[in-house]
Structures are given as C-alpha cells and as structure tokens.
C-alpha cells in the first residue's frame, strides 16, 4: 500500500522538470540538481546542529559547560560569515552564464530549420499561428521533434504565462506586447502546456497538449491542417475571442501579419513602446 | 444563473442589488458553494450579534469604549493582536476549504465554484498579509518595544490610535465583503489588467483596493511612529548598541514600512483611478501598461516580506537568549545582518517577475542580489545556534517554536535560492513550488515567531501564564500540519501544477493533494488548540498569575515591571548601563527598589477623534465600493472634520497623581516581597509567581 503510494507519487514528478524532454529543460534540470547539491552544504549543518546543540545544552544536562556571559568569538564569526558568502559567490558564478544560456529569448541551435510559432493567449485558450506554414491551431501545439521552435507571445486579454513543464520554462504573454520563448523537443511524444497566471473562471482548464512528431509526421500534419479548408477569419476570431473553453482546433489559413494586428488591436498601436523589448533585443 | 439585476434605489444604495446578498444567491441556487458562502456570511452576522448581546448583557459597552478610544500603547497593541487572531481564524478556515476543494476536485468540479475558489485564495492571501501578519507584528511591537526601551508610550500616541482604527476599518471591510457583494478574484497581488474595469467590473477588486489602502495607510503611520519612538524615547543610557534585538528588528521593520508602504498606496490609488475615473495606467489599451503595476507592487511587496519576518527574527533573538539563560551570541553581527537585510530587501523586487521578458543581464543582477540576502539570514540562524551553545536550554513553548523555525526555515531558504536563479524560476514560477516556498518562509518565519512572542509576552500583558500543555499541543499541530500541508506542494510544483487551480485534471497529483489536505486539517487542529489554550488559561487564571512580572527570568526592561504593567509603564524611568539591564540588575540586587517618593505622571487622554477617523475611513471605503457617493463624501468630510477638531483639543493629557503612582508601586512591591523566588525548573508550575531566583 505504502509502496504503491510512493510509486504513485513519483508518477507526479514525471510531468515536470525532472522528466525533461528538451535541451532547455535538460539544462534547467541539470542546474537544479547541481544547485540542490551545493545547497545541501547550507541545509545539512543547520539540521544537524540545531537539535544537537539544543539537546546537549539542555538545562537538565549537568555535564556540559555553562558560560552565560560568553557571546562572541572571532573564529566563529569567520565560520558564520565566510562559508555563506563563499557559497553565494559560487552560486553567482553558476547563475550568471546559466541565465545567459537559458534566457528564453536566446534562439536554440537544433537539427534543421527553426519553426516559428506565434502564441496568443485568450480566455481560456491558446491560439498558435505558424506564420511560415500559414496554418493555425487552438489548444494544441504540434511541433517537429528536434527542430528549434521560436515562439513569440502576446495576449488578447489579461496577462497570462505559458509554461511547458517538461520542455522549457515560462514567459508572460501580455496584451499589446511581444515576448519570446525558445525551445526544442528531444523526441516524439505528447507533453503538457499550460497557462500558470490566473486568468479567470476557467483558468484551471487552460491546458493543452504539445504534440511532438517526427519530420514526416509533422509534414503530414501540416498537409492535413491546410486541407481542413477552415481559415482563421474574422468570424472564427470573434468566436475564439469569446470567454469560453474549447477543444483542439485547426485552421487552414491565417491572414498575413495576423499576430501583429492582434498586438496593435489590444493596445500595441497606442503603445509608444509596442514590442520594444523585441526591438531592443533583436540581436538574440 | 447570471441574470442582470437592476440596482435598488441607486441614489442611496449605489449599485447594490438583492443578488449581492449571499443569502439571496444561496436561495436561488442552493449548491454547496453558495451555501458555504451564505454560511460564512451568517457567521459574520451571528458573531456580530453575539458580541453586541454579550456587551449589553454584561454592561461592558463602557469598557469597549474605554479600550477603542485609548491611546495607551499597551491597549492598542493588544487590540492589534486581537484583530490578527480573529483574521487568522478566518484565513485558516479559508485555506482548509481550498485544500479540501483541491483534494475533491481531481477530475471533478469539486464542491466550490471556480469563482468562489478564486475569492477564497484572494481573501486568504490579502487577510494573511494585511490583516493577520501586519496587525500581529505591529501589535507585538506596540506592546513590547516601548517597555523594552524604557519609554512610557509611543512617540505619537494619537497617530498610533489612528493607525489602529484604519487597520481595524480595513479588517472590518474584509468581513463586510463576506456579507454584502463579493471579493476580488485577482489574488492578494491584484494584478491588472485582470483587476481592471474591463475584466472585473464587479465590486470585488474595489473591496480589495480600499481594504488594502486602509491597511497600508495605517501601516505607514505605524512605521513612522515606531521609528520615531525608537529614535527619541529611549531611556537614559539605552544607546543603540544596547537596545534589545527585538527593538533593532522593529526599527528596521519600521524603516521598511515607511519606504515600502507608499508604493503600494500609489499602486492601489492608480488602479482605483483606472476603475473609477477612466484613467489608463494599467489597462491594455490607450497606453496603459501593467508592467508598471508589477514594478510598483513588488517595490512594496518584497520589502514587505522583510517587514513581516524581521520582527519575528527579533522575537526569536529574545526567546532563544532568555530560554538559554545566556547572552545573545554575536549581537553586533545580528545588528549588521538585520540592517543588511533591510537595505538589500529594496534591491530584489524584479525576482517576482523574472518571466516578464526583460534581458538576461537584468535577471542576473536581481538573481544575485536575491541570493545575497541569504548570507545575513544564514548568519542570524547561526547566531541563535551559538546562543544556545554553552547555555542552559529550557524547552518552553516559545523555545520549541524557535527550534522548529530554525530547522524548517532553512528548507525555505533552500528553495528560495532555487527560485532566485532565473532559469529555475522560469520552471517554478506561478506553480505550487512557489506557494510552498513562501508558506515555508512565512509560517515558520513569521507565524511561529509571532506565536512564540504571543506565548512569551502573554503573561506580561495579562499577568497570567498561558496553559503549557495546550501550548505544546498547538505547537505540535502547527509543525506537523505545516510539513504535511506544504512539502507535497513542492512536489506538485515541480510536477508543473499551477497555483490558484480550482480543478485538477491530472490523476497522478492525487496522493500529494490528499496529504496536503490532511495537513490543512492538522493546521485547523492547531488553531483550535490555540482557542482551547486561551479558554483553559482564562479559567485557570488564578493559579497561574505572575503579577510580580518576571516569569521567565527575563533580560530586558519589559520584565522589570509588574504584569500587567501600570498604565505609565515605569514609575521612575530606568537608567541603562548594559545590553541585559534587567537580568544583570536583578542579580546585583539593584532593580526592585522601592522609592520613598514618586512623582505625578502625565499620560495621554483617550480620544474619540482617532476612532472616528477609522470609522469614517471604513464608511468612505464602503461608499466607494458600492458607488454610494453621498456616503463617501460625508465620510471623507468626517475625516477632515476629525483632524480639524483634534487640532483644537488642548487638554490632551491626564495626570496620574503622585499618590496614585505610589499606591500602585507599593502594591507591586508588597507582592514582590510576598512572592517566592523560583528556580527555572518550576517555571511552568503555579509556583511561578513572576519572581525569578537570582542566586547563582
């Protein structure tokens, strides 16, 4: 029974970073394990010393020293201040390059052509536009395994946050603005994506599958999508903009610069700095 | 069921409709969620009616007025803590409801509607931060700090009472939101554009805005008062480097309050302008930008974390030193560490939104700044460990909380460093990992500290020791409940479960949600044990009196008075010549000296104006929430009138005649002479009358 419970418990962790399925997430998992290892040097001494010293120097123990006026020692001060400073310096040395390397804005090298995806957060669904391929999906993100995925994000409603627990971290999607995220998937499979920023009534249901496919399967999927004969037109967009939930959908065509129009329509036009972070950081 | 309801008599009742009463909603749509809402509203009303009935039955209205108009820092401190305990009870019950919902809602809608669940996490967070933690710590500082520095009151007793009445007004507004209308669903941080008019046109965010505004103005006033008191009212000889550590942490907290509360007041004011006057600070359109809100909010929000935690650090310093019968180790280190934390706390706010798309360099800088705070915090933990070293540790309830805190807090520090590293924050941000982390900091760091302080200073405030046995049961439940309720959340967060989720679609999360639910129930038992402890202690009060004033062989000046202390605190202002003036003084036989002659003492008179400002503030807030403009206008004019009236009051002080002071002092000295000094082995027994044995 207990074994079963523990086994069940580990099943939960399979949905997260410890079961990383892409290069970004693998970096992050590696960093997590490394940092946790270092932090054991902070945690273990305290967990040992607190009960040990409290118990040894308990009032009823008459076999220990009692020095009520002893309250300072330069040696101990050294032990107290220097190791934590050392650990923080060490972590800082780790943190700096890791933050540069795992910056969600940094494009990933991968096998083959990058796939561009434009994600739009709506209540309570995600729209994914493939500007290169001219198709769009709702509540499913189909990607070819191995190839780098460049995601641009915005929101057609309140602020949301796109998290791919096993593939990458998360980045906010904000109306009138463009943020970016880059990742790749190691192998074909189905992984979870979700909004983690509370966005209203059906927030809990705002989850979608990331479907990673082999190259040929992805090509076949694109062909099928183009063949549905259902474009993302005004009517379809009006339906999506309503506050509701929906199952996965596929659109065969998308008007040009649709994503930019959404940014402009939700405030970007009057924004003096519309998309300025992407402009500022186009080098990446 | 979302029919449009028309307002009733809008000129008077604003936008109120019958549908805003939870009873009407429950009647129309009797599901579990609405019935729980109506039940909560009934509890508020029943509680109010019972209070009124008891006050009338026992003719205690006079006592109540005497208390709420009092400018005595001790009464104000006690009232702050009373507000905090009431609000704690509500917010714990809300937490339990949320845990039960999540345990029940795995592949199932559960028993709470999504909207109700969202209101619960919003009120839980807002209450715990603004109306539990803030009043609790402000109350303890109010009560203890002036006694510790040898002062007779705070620097600005009237402003102190205004601050209390505004905080109380905010807390009452939170309670009113249970009965009339609904609360915000935007969480304790109230992020726009979600909380803006376009997405939340209802009264909820307005309740949040005005409750928080009342609380934040009260806290700003409180901070100014605490800082000025410490700067100006220390007893002769009480140099900064002789102040008890709790006074140092109070000082740092008050400085943080002064600088950190205004950004919050500004953020909520700008959001109010957006909602009331069609401004566009944080809207999606017309140039609004919610990123400005995020910056303003966390410019307050991060220092706030240290506002909450530093006073608890001060309490731990007092408790560990007292119950180890030993000087505090590394006093200078602790002062430096406290100040370092206070300064650094203003340099890390961006870590609350590493994921907002700023450059890697910015994230790097703020990540490193965040980890840097770990250094002084770690130093503090070791200072407490070395305080126990070569001491004589007594495992009293406050000491148990301190030990549990040290061990548990380090786990929170561990996960805090993980969250401070931007690439790892990208993964854990907004998940239950984050929720587990900040509860891991605030429950052991803040709540255990305040409960330790409550247990430690209760005999000072009321002259009665709290029941030891129930204190230990409560302690055990708090600790076990904490681990059960929050360790699973780390796992769930690492599995990618988002916070604020009312419904769960992943069956693999089930075992962890069950464990967390069980933990919440244990925490509910902890709360119940505290209530039982209070009741039992009141019943057994005659056996556990410590009128002599020093039940724990205390070290600082608050223990050198009777318990409870006289209104004027000190008949003769003490002279201080060391860090543990009372501990050393009673050993040199110099402290309990009966004087032949006492002077008359001037103390602040009660004031109705300060209370009126709180009442009018509440009225203005309620009027604004419901668009009852007449009420808002009258109430604001009332505040102005109270300020003007107060400026004409000349007779602000009352003199306690020398004879009365002498009589009070002689009664206490007679009790001291009659009391038997006790050793530390019997301090938890009725033999403890509050006089410590000082022979070595």
């Amino acid at each position: 029974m207990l074994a079963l419970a523990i086994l069940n418990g580990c099943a939960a962790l399979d949905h997260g970073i410890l079961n990383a399925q892409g290069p970004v997430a693998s970096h992050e998992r590696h960093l997590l394990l490394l940092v946790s290892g270092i932090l054991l040097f902070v945690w273990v001494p305290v967990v040992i010393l607190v009960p040990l010293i409290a118990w040894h120097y308990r009032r009823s123990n008459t076999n220990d020293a009692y020095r009520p006026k002893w309250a300072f020692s330069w040696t101990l001060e050294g032990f107290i201040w220097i190791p934590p400073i050392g650990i923080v310096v060490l972590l800082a040395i780790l943190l700096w390059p890791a933050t540069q390397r795992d910056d969600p804005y940094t494009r990933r090298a991968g096998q083959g052509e990058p796939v561009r995806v434009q994600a739009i957060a709506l209540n309570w669904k995600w729209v994914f536009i493939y500007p290169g391929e001219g198709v769009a999906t709702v509540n499913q993100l189909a990607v070819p395994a191995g190839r780098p995925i460049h995601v641009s994000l915005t929101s057609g409603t309140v602020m949301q946050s796109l998290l791919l627990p096993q593939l990458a971290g998360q980045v906010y999607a904000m109306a009138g603005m463009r943020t970016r995220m880059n990742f790749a998937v190691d192998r074909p499979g189905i992984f979870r994506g979700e909004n983690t920023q509370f966005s209203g009534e059906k927030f809990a249901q705002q989850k979608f599958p990331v479907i990673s496919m082999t190259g040929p399967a992805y090509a076949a999927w694109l062909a099928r999508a183009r063949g549905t004969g259902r474009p993302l037109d005004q009517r379809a967009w009006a339906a999506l903009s309503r506050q509701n939930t929906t199952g996965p959908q596929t659109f065969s065509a998308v008007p040009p610069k649709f994503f930019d129009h959404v940014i402009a329509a939700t405030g970007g036009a009057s924004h003096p700095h519309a998309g300025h972070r992407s402009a500022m950081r186009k080098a990446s | 069921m979302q029919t449009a309801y028309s307002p009733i008599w809008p000129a008077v009742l604003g936008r109120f409709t019958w549908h805003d009463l939870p009873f009407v909603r429950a009647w129309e749509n009797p599901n579990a969620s609405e019935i729980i809402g109506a039940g909560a509203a009934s509890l508020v009303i029943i509680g109010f009616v019972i209070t009124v009935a008891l006050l009338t039955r026992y003719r205690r209205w006079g006592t109540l007025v005497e208390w709420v108009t009092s400018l005595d820092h001790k009464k104000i401190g006690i009232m702050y803590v009373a507000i905090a305990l009431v609000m704690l009870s509500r917010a714990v019950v809300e937490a339990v409801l949320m845990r039960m919902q999540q345990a029940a809602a795995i592949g199932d809608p559960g028993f709470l509607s999504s909207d109700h669940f969202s209101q619960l996490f919003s009120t839980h967070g807002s209450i715990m931060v603004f109306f539990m933690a803030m009043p609790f710590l402000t109350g303890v500082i109010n009560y203890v700090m002036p006694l510790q520095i040898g002062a007779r009151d705070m620097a600005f007793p009237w402003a102190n009472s205004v601050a209390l009445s505004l905080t109380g007004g905010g807390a009452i507004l939170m309670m009113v939101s249970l009965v009339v209308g609904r609360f915000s669903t935007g969480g304790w941080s109230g992020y726009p554009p979600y909380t803006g008019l376009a997405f939340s046109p209802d009264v909820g965010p307005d309740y949040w805005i005005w409750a928080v505004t009342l609380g934040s103005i009260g806290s700003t006033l409180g901070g100014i008062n605490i800082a000025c008191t410490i700067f100006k009212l220390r007893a002769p000889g009480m140099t900064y480097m002789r102040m008890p550590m709790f006074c140092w942490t109070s000082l740092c907290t008050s400085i943080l309050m002064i600088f950190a509360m205004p950004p919050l007041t500004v953020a909520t004011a700008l959001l109010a302008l957006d909602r009331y006057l069609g401004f566009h600070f944080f809207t999606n359109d017309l140039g609004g930008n919610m990123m400005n809100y995020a910056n303003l909010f966390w410019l307050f929000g991060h220092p706030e974390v240290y506002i909450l935690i530093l006073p608890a650090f001060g309490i731990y310093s007092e408790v560990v030193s007292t119950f180890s019968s030993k000087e505090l180790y590394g006093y200078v280190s602790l002062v430096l560490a406290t100040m370092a934390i206070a300064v650094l706390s203003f340099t890390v706010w961006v870590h609350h939104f590493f994921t907002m798309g700023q450059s890697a360099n910015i994230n790097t800088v703020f990540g490193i700044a965040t980890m840097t705070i770990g250094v002084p915090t770690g130093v503090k933990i070791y200072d407490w460990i070395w305080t126990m070293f070569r001491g004589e540790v007594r495992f009293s309830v406050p000491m148990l909380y301190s030990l549990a805190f040290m061990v548990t807090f380090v786990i929170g520090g561990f996960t805090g460093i993980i969250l401070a590293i931007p690439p790892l924050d990208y993964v854990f941000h907004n998940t239950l990992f984050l929720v587990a982390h900040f509860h891991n900091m605030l429950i052991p760091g803040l709540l255990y500290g305040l409960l330790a302080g409550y247990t430690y200073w209760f005999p000072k405030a009321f002259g009665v020791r709290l029941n030891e046995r129930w204190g230990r049961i409560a302690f055990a439940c708090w600790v076990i409940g904490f681990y059960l309720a929050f360790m699973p959340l780390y796992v769930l967060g690492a599995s990618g479960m988002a916070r604020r989720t009312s419904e769960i679609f992943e069956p693999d999360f089930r075992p962890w949600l069950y464990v967390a639910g069980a933990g919440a129930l244990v925490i509910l038992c902890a709360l119940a044990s505290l209530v039982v402890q209070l009741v039992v202690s009141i019943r057994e009060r005659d056996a556990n009196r410590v009128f002599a004033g020093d039940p724990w062989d205390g070290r600082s000046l608050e223990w050198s008075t009777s318990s409870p202390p006289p209104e004027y605190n000190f008949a003769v202002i003490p002279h201080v010549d060391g860090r543990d003036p009372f501990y050393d003084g009673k050993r040199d036989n110099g402290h309990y000296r009966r004087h032949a002659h006492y002077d008359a003492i001037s103390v602040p008179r009660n004031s109705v104006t300060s209370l009126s400002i709180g009442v009018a503030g509440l009225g203005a807030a309620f009027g604004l929430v419901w668009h009852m403009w007449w009420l808002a206008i009258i109430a604001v004019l009332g505040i102005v009138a109270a300020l003007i009236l107060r400026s004409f009051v000349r007779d602000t002080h009352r003199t306690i005649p020398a004879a009365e002071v002498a009589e009070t002092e002689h009664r206490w000295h007679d009790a001291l002479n009659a009391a038997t000094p006790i050793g530390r082995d019997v301090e938890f027994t009725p033999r403890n009358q509050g006089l410590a044995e000082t022979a070595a």
Side-chain angles (χ1 to χ4, degrees):
Chain A
M1 191 67 197
L2 188 73
L4 203 71
I6 291 167
L7 215 64
N8 257 333
C10 294
L13 283 169
D14 282 347
H15 301 283
I17 186 70
L18 292 180
N19 186 15
Q21 296 291 336
V24 180
S26 297
H27 278 160
E28 284 162 347
R29 180 184 59 186
H30 179 249
L31 188 62
L32 173 65
L33 297 176
L34 185 63
V35 168
S36 302
I38 295 171
L39 287 176
L40 284 179
F41 288 94
V42 176
W43 183 63
V44 170
V46 174
V47 169
I48 292 176
L49 277 176
V50 169
L52 197 72
I53 290 192
W55 184 247
H56 182 73
Y57 290 98
R58 68 192 183 277
R59 184 176 159 76
S60 55
N61 182 2
T62 48
N63 284 330
D64 55 7
Y66 177 49
R67 304 275 180 278
K69 289 277 172 194
W70 177 85
F72 188 77
S73 145
W74 275 111
T75 323
L76 276 182
E77 286 299 292
F79 273 114
I80 289 175
W81 283 93
I82 295 169
I85 291 176
I87 288 175
V88 167
V89 169
L90 176 65
L91 288 170
I93 292 170
L94 268 174
L95 177 151
W96 195 322
T99 306
Q100 307 286 340
R101 183 194 62 193
D102 295 339
D103 181 13
Y105 279 50
T106 307
R107 301 208 157 171
R108 308 281 148 195
Q111 308 136 3
E113 273 290 287
V115 178
R116 283 201 300 142
V117 176
Q118 296 167 328
I120 305 170
L122 293 177
N123 280 346
W124 291 275
K125 54 188 93 68
W126 287 97
V127 179
F128 299 104
I129 297 167
Y130 297 69
E133 287 76 10
V135 299
T137 61
V138 173
N139 280 349
Q140 59 171 330
L141 177 58
V143 293
R147 280 168 67 184
I149 319 289
H150 298 173
V151 188
S152 295
L153 299 102
T154 193
S155 169
T157 171
V158 298
M159 182 177 101
Q160 304 198 2
S161 187
L162 179 68
L163 171 68
L164 308 175
Q166 289 177 259
L167 304 175
Q170 64 193 302
V171 170
Y172 290 163
M174 294 171 285
M177 297 182 246
R178 179 202 307 265
T179 45
R180 290 175 191 280
M181 179 167 160
N182 286 277
F183 72 100
V185 191
D186 285 339
R187 62 175 180 84
I190 297 178
F191 310 100
R192 188 159 42 94
E194 61 187 318
N195 166 30
T196 60
Q197 179 72 34
F198 183 76
S199 57
E201 197 192 337
K202 307 275 188 206
F203 158 71
Q205 298 174 34
Q206 204 175 350
K207 305 194 177 355
F208 62 90
V210 181
I211 305 162
S212 169
M213 298 178 246
T214 60
Y218 179 66
W221 175 81
L222 274 179
R224 271 207 309 283
R226 289 197 186 100
T228 51
R230 196 170 151 242
L232 181 58
D233 53 17
Q234 280 301 326
R235 246 186 68 209
W237 181 250
L240 287 175
S241 299
R242 274 187 219 119
Q243 303 230 346
N244 56 18
T245 55
T246 168
Q249 300 180 30
T250 312
F251 294 98
S252 56
V254 184
K257 290 194 174 282
F258 188 83
F259 186 74
D260 298 328
H261 289 307
V262 172
I263 291 186
T266 48
S270 54
H271 243 279
H273 302 291
H276 75 289
R277 275 174 319 290
S278 52
M280 194 170 74
R281 305 186 58 200
K282 61 175 179 277
S284 55
Chain B
M1 298 300 284
Q2 290 298 318
T3 341
Y5 287 78
S6 54
I8 309 147
W9 209 3
V12 176
L13 295 179
R15 49 174 161 167
F16 174 79
T17 69
W18 290 120
H19 198 64
D20 288 317
L21 295 177
F23 311 106
V24 175
R25 291 201 297 267
W27 178 261
E28 286 180 353
N29 190 11
N31 57 35
S33 196
E34 293 293 358
I35 289 169
I36 289 172
S42 322
L43 277 181
V44 174
I45 294 170
I46 292 168
F48 179 74
V49 169
I50 289 180
T51 311
V52 169
L54 287 177
L55 285 169
T56 312
R57 168 77 177 77
Y58 292 102
R59 296 169 194 281
R60 285 305 180 93
W61 283 100
T63 318
L64 181 72
V65 171
E66 164 68 27
W67 272 74
V68 292
T69 59
S70 173
L71 305 193
D72 180 353
H73 75 95
K74 298 183 289 298
K75 285 186 173 153
I76 289 176
I78 290 168
M79 285 185 280
Y80 264 122
V81 175
I83 292 174
L85 292 176
V86 171
M87 298 311 274
L88 172 71
S89 313
R90 172 177 164 191
V92 164
V93 171
E94 289 175 336
V96 173
L97 274 175
M98 286 189 283
R99 282 271 136 262
M100 293 303 112
Q101 161 73 10
Q102 285 199 334
I106 305 161
D108 185 279
F111 59 93
L112 289 178
S113 71
S114 159
D115 184 68
H116 195 165
F117 184 85
S118 320
Q119 291 184 51
L120 285 175
F121 68 66
S122 303
T123 49
H124 171 80
S126 306
I127 287 176
M128 283 298 196
V129 173
F130 297 109
F131 300 107
M132 190 288 284
M134 292 297 273
F136 208 150
L137 70 91
T138 311
V140 174
I141 293 174
N142 240 296
Y143 195 96
V144 174
M145 182 271 290
L147 284 166
Q148 284 195 329
I149 62 171
R152 286 195 174 132
D153 207 322
M154 298 283 272
F156 309 113
W158 186 75
N160 201 19
S161 172
V162 172
L164 168 73
S165 69
L166 287 173
T167 308
I172 292 173
L173 194 65
M174 294 298 295
M175 289 313 216
V176 168
S177 76
L178 271 179
V179 185
V180 193
R182 60 200 297 284
F183 199 72
S184 174
T185 53
W188 84 279
S189 51
Y191 264 26
Y194 181 78
T195 49
L197 209 51
F199 298 100
S200 301
D202 57 282
V203 295
D206 298 321
Y207 265 123
W208 180 80
I209 287 173
W210 299 117
V212 167
T213 301
L214 289 176
S216 69
I217 295 173
S219 295
T220 311
L221 284 175
I224 295 171
N225 214 339
I226 294 165
C228 290
T229 307
I230 294 176
F231 287 146
K232 302 301 288 183
L233 296 186
R234 280 167 291 123
M238 175 72 83
T239 59
Y240 285 109
M241 293 311 274
R242 284 178 185 167
M243 288 200 303
M245 193 49 58
F246 181 69
C247 294
W248 266 109
T249 58
S250 302
L251 177 61
C252 289
T253 281
S254 65
I255 293 171
L256 293 182
M257 281 179 180
I258 294 168
F259 288 105
M261 300 314 290
L264 173 68
T265 313
V266 169
T268 53
L270 298 184
L271 187 59
L273 285 173
D274 275 8
R275 291 181 60 87
Y276 283 82
L277 296 174
F279 281 52
H280 290 273
F281 285 109
F282 311 126
T283 56
N284 276 350
D285 57 345
L286 298 173
N289 191 331
M290 64 73 58
M291 296 197 294
N292 291 333
Y293 181 92
N295 276 284
L296 275 174
F297 185 84
W298 293 112
L299 205 52
F300 143 78
H302 202 85
E304 167 72 7
V305 173
Y306 294 95
I307 292 174
L308 299 179
I309 233 146
L310 286 177
F313 282 0
I315 294 171
Y316 291 129
S317 301
E318 305 293 313
V319 164
V320 172
S321 167
T322 301
F323 290 105
S324 301
S325 304
K326 186 163 163 289
E327 269 182 41
L328 191 58
Y329 173 85
Y331 179 92
V332 179
S333 260
L334 276 166
V335 170
L336 289 175
T338 307
M339 269 297 173
I341 291 173
V343 173
L344 285 173
S345 73
F346 281 102
T347 66
V348 302
W349 78 94
V350 170
H351 73 212
H352 294 273
F353 43 87
F354 276 148
T355 53
M356 211 156 71
Q358 61 273 34
S359 81
N361 289 333
I362 293 176
N363 282 352
T364 304
V365 169
F366 280 92
I368 293 174
T370 305
M371 294 195 305
T372 310
I373 296 195
V375 174
T377 314
V379 165
K380 279 172 164 269
I381 300 263
Y382 280 99
D383 280 333
W384 295 315
I385 293 178
W386 299 125
T387 300
M388 296 188 290
F389 180 69
R390 295 177 177 172
E392 290 196 332
V393 178
R394 287 122 61 197
F395 298 100
S396 63
V397 172
M399 191 66 191
L400 290 175
Y401 278 120
S402 308
L403 294 170
F405 149 74
M406 287 184 236
V407 173
T408 314
F409 193 75
V410 182
I411 302 172
F414 188 121
T415 55
I417 296 270
I418 287 175
L419 285 166
I421 295 175
L424 300 182
D425 180 75
Y426 302 150
V427 180
F428 295 126
H429 182 64
N430 269 345
T431 68
L432 288 183
F433 191 91
L434 174 76
V435 175
H437 162 71
F438 68 69
H439 283 92
N440 197 164
M441 299 317 256
L442 289 176
I443 293 179
L446 168 104
L447 191 64
Y448 289 4
L450 291 172
L451 291 174
Y454 163 79
T455 319
Y456 181 59
W457 282 305
F458 189 94
K460 178 46 60 187
F462 297 100
V464 176
R465 276 186 309 106
L466 281 170
N467 182 280
E468 192 69 18
R469 188 159 152 264
W470 280 102
R472 282 166 199 271
I473 293 172
F475 160 78
C477 292
W478 276 116
V479 174
I480 296 167
F482 168 78
Y483 277 94
L484 285 178
F486 292 99
M487 292 301 134
L489 300 199
Y490 280 124
V491 177
L492 289 166
S495 310
M497 180 171 163
R499 67 193 294 203
R500 298 176 174 172
T501 302
S502 62
E503 215 179 325
I504 292 94
F505 298 96
E506 182 50 71
D508 289 343
F509 293 168
R510 189 186 302 271
W512 300 102
L513 288 167
Y514 283 178
V515 176
L521 291 175
V522 178
I523 287 180
L524 193 62
C525 293
L527 183 70
S529 307
L530 284 182
V531 175
V532 174
Q533 181 196 34
L534 191 59
V535 172
V536 170
S537 304
I538 293 172
R539 281 208 184 145
E540 296 174 346
R541 61 190 178 276
D542 288 329
N544 295 316
R545 288 203 193 274
V546 288
F547 178 62
D550 180 26
W552 315 124
D553 196 8
R555 312 182 72 83
S556 39
L557 290 176
E558 78 270 29
W559 304 109
S560 72
T561 66
S562 62
S563 286
E567 186 179 0
Y568 48 78
N569 291 357
F570 301 96
V572 178
I573 296 293
H575 284 251
V576 178
D577 50 13
R579 268 181 206 156
D580 293 307
F582 177 57
Y583 192 80
D584 297 338
K586 62 190 164 187
R587 276 161 178 74
D588 302 340
N589 285 326
H591 235 287
Y592 293 120
R593 209 177 309 132
R594 199 191 287 255
H595 292 257
H597 170 79
Y598 289 97
D599 288 328
I601 296 170
S602 163
V603 293
R605 265 182 205 284
N606 285 21
S607 162
V608 185
T609 44
S610 52
L611 175 68
S612 317
I613 287 178
V615 173
L618 171 62
F622 188 76
L624 285 166
V625 168
W626 288 99
H627 296 181
M628 299 175 187
W629 308 120
W630 61 272
L631 176 61
I633 291 167
I634 292 173
V636 169
L637 290 177
I639 294 175
V640 176
L643 282 168
I644 294 173
L645 281 176
R646 173 66 184 181
S647 69
F648 283 98
V649 177
R650 288 298 179 83
D651 199 12
T652 56
H653 280 69
R654 175 171 66 84
T655 304
I656 301 175
E660 195 185 322
V661 175
E663 194 203 321
T664 311
E665 290 300 306
H666 289 315
R667 193 168 59 236
W668 176 48
H669 279 282
D670 293 344
L672 278 171
N673 290 339
T676 326
I678 54 127
R680 290 303 100 202
D681 292 327
V682 294
E683 64 183 337
F684 306 132
T685 67
R687 285 174 62 193
N688 187 350
Q689 292 167 286
L691 185 61
E693 195 177 73
T694 50

